[in-house]
Amino acid sequence: DNQLSELLAACSNLEVLALPRCGKLTDAAAITIGALLPHVREVSCRDWAALTDGGVALLARGCPNLEDITLDGCFRVGSEALAALVRLCPRLRRLSIAKSYGVTDSALEALGEHGVALEELYLRQCPRVAAVQHLARCNRLTAVDFSGCGNVAGPSLLAMLSACGASLVSLQLNGCVGLHGEEVAAVGRLCPRLRSLNVRGLAVMDEHLLKLAAGCSNLQSLCLAWCTKVTEDGLRPLVARNPDLQDLDIEALYLLTDSMLACLAEFAPRLSRLSMRMCHRFNPEAIVALVEATALSSLLLSGVLDEAHTTDLVNRVRRVRPDCEMKW
C-alpha cells in the first residue's frame, strides 16, 4: 500500500491502472486511487483478497470518470460496493466481478436503477445472484455473463432479455443450472443480434436449437459443450443459419457423427477453433476433410480416438495445416 501511494502521487494524470494479482494490496490502496487519480477511467483490482466494500466505495467517490472496473476474485467485495460504483460513477460502462458470495439481488436492484450506462456486465460464479429481471432497465447492455450463477431461473432471465435482449451481442450462461432448454430457445427471438452464446451444460435438446436457429443468424462463437442430448437434427440447421461461425465447442456431444463434420465443412468455412473432445463417433478421414475445407487453426480432440489413432491423426492434420494448434 505504501509503495503504491508513493508511485501514484507522481502520476496524477493516469487514466488506466491495472494491478491484477497484487494480493498484498488492501482497502488503503483503493482509497489512495480514489484520492490521487481523479482522471482514472479503467481500474483492475483482480484478486485483491483483502479488498472490501468500503475500499471500493471510496475509490468510486474519488473517481467519478470511471468507466471500467474489474473485481474478479475480490471475494470480500459485495453488493454495497457495486451499488456505490453505479451511483457515484455515472459513466460506468463495464463491470466485472467473479467468485463473490457477497453479491446479491440488492446489487442487481442498484444496477437496474442507476446503471443505465452499463454496456458490459460480468457476474461470474456469484451464487446469490438470482433476480436478474432488475437489469431490464439497462437497455445499453451488449455483453452479459452469468456463468456459474446457478440460482438464475428462467422467468427472471426472460424478463430481462425481453427488455434489453435486442442490444445483446454476447450472452454467457455456462453452468446456469437453473435454466432450461426453453430459455435457450427464446434467446433467438429475444436477442437477434447475438454473436456469442455459451450454454455449456444446460438441458438443451434439438427442438430448442431449432427455435434458436429461427432467430439467430449472426453467431460467431457457440458453446454447446455437455449438452449431451443434442443431435445433428438440431445442430445442423443452426450451423447452416450462421455462416460466420468461427468458434464452436461441441465437447461431449456423443451423438454427433461424421455427417455433422461434413455440415461444418459446407456451411462454416470461417471456422477457426473447434473443440470436439469426447465426440467418439468422429472418424479421422472426416476430421482431416474438415480441416481442409475450413480455416481451422485450433483443434481440441482428446477422447475422440485411442492413443495410436490420435497420433496418426495429429500427423495427418499437420501435413494439411502445419500451423494448426492441437490439444489431445
Side-chain angles (χ1 to χ4, degrees):
D1 291 336
N2 293 335
Q3 293 167 335
L4 182 65
S5 178
E6 293 175 8
L7 176 66
L8 297 187
C11 305
S12 60
N13 290 322
L14 270 181
E15 295 185 8
V16 178
L17 180 65
L19 296 167
R21 297 191 298 275
C22 294
K24 293 184 179 180
L25 295 179
T26 70
D27 282 345
I31 295 170
T32 297
I33 294 171
L36 299 180
L37 301 182
H39 306 296
V40 75
R41 295 181 294 104
E42 299 180 22
V43 175
S44 175
C45 305
R46 180 159 57 90
D47 295 326
W48 290 20
L51 186 63
T52 71
D53 287 343
V56 175
L58 290 173
L59 183 155
R61 187 175 299 278
C63 303
N65 297 316
L66 191 66
E67 300 176 7
D68 183 328
I69 187 165
T70 298
L71 298 166
D72 298 0
C74 300
F75 56 84
R76 296 187 184 185
V77 173
S79 295
E80 291 183 17
L82 302 196
L85 282 166
V86 291
R87 284 199 309 266
L88 299 172
C89 306
R91 298 182 182 180
L92 192 67
R93 59 174 182 78
R94 182 187 177 277
L95 171 61
S96 179
I97 186 166
K99 303 177 182 178
S100 172
Y101 191 75
V103 177
T104 66
D105 289 343
S106 63
L108 300 182
E109 292 183 36
L111 292 174
E113 182 176 356
H114 302 286
V116 292
L118 278 175
E119 297 176 10
E120 301 177 34
L121 179 61
Y122 305 92
L123 300 175
R124 295 181 295 272
Q125 299 177 39
C126 297
R128 298 174 70 188
V129 165
V132 297
Q133 70 270 16
H134 292 306
L135 301 174
R137 295 179 59 189
C138 301
N139 54 16
R140 295 186 186 180
L141 283 173
T142 61
V144 171
D145 190 342
F146 295 138
S147 295
C149 297
N151 286 319
V152 175
S156 58
L157 179 69
L158 292 180
M160 176 196 134
L161 295 182
S162 295
C164 62
S167 61
L168 284 183
V169 296
S170 177
L171 180 59
Q172 310 299 310
L173 302 172
N174 172 15
C176 293
V177 294
L179 301 177
H180 303 90
E182 290 75 14
E183 288 78 51
V184 176
V187 165
R189 171 174 53 84
L190 299 174
C191 309
R193 297 178 56 199
L194 209 60
R195 294 200 297 265
S196 178
L197 177 63
N198 185 335
V199 292
R200 180 186 180 95
L202 302 193
V204 178
M205 301 179 69
D206 289 342
E207 61 196 73
H208 305 128
L209 292 188
L210 292 175
K211 292 180 180 178
L212 177 65
C216 277
S217 59
N218 299 304
L219 287 176
Q220 298 176 5
S221 176
L222 175 64
C223 179
L224 295 170
W226 291 96
C227 300
T228 56
K229 294 185 179 180
V230 167
T231 74
E232 294 153 30
D233 292 338
L235 184 54
R236 188 184 295 110
L238 183 57
V239 169
R241 284 268 295 161
N242 290 273
D244 291 331
L245 193 63
Q246 299 171 27
D247 187 330
L248 178 62
D249 191 338
I250 51 174
E251 178 179 334
L253 269 60
Y254 309 116
L255 301 178
L256 299 183
T257 67
D258 290 344
S259 64
M260 189 63 235
L261 298 184
C263 174
L264 289 173
E266 179 179 359
F267 295 109
R270 299 182 183 180
L271 191 67
S272 61
R273 180 186 180 276
L274 176 64
S275 175
M276 58 170 68
R277 288 173 170 152
M278 291 179 280
C279 294
H280 59 270
R281 299 191 182 194
F282 292 159
N283 290 305
E285 291 74 17
I287 297 173
V288 173
L290 176 64
V291 174
E292 292 176 326
T294 63
L296 270 175
S297 59
S298 179
L299 186 60
L300 290 72
L301 41 74
S302 57
V304 176
L305 304 166
D306 61 31
E307 184 175 355
H309 286 94
T310 298
T311 301
D312 180 65
L313 172 62
V314 168
N315 292 331
R316 292 176 63 182
V317 170
R318 283 176 174 163
R319 286 195 292 270
V320 172
R321 188 72 47 76
D323 58 346
C324 183
E325 178 186 3
M326 286 176 283
K327 296 182 180 179
W328 67 93

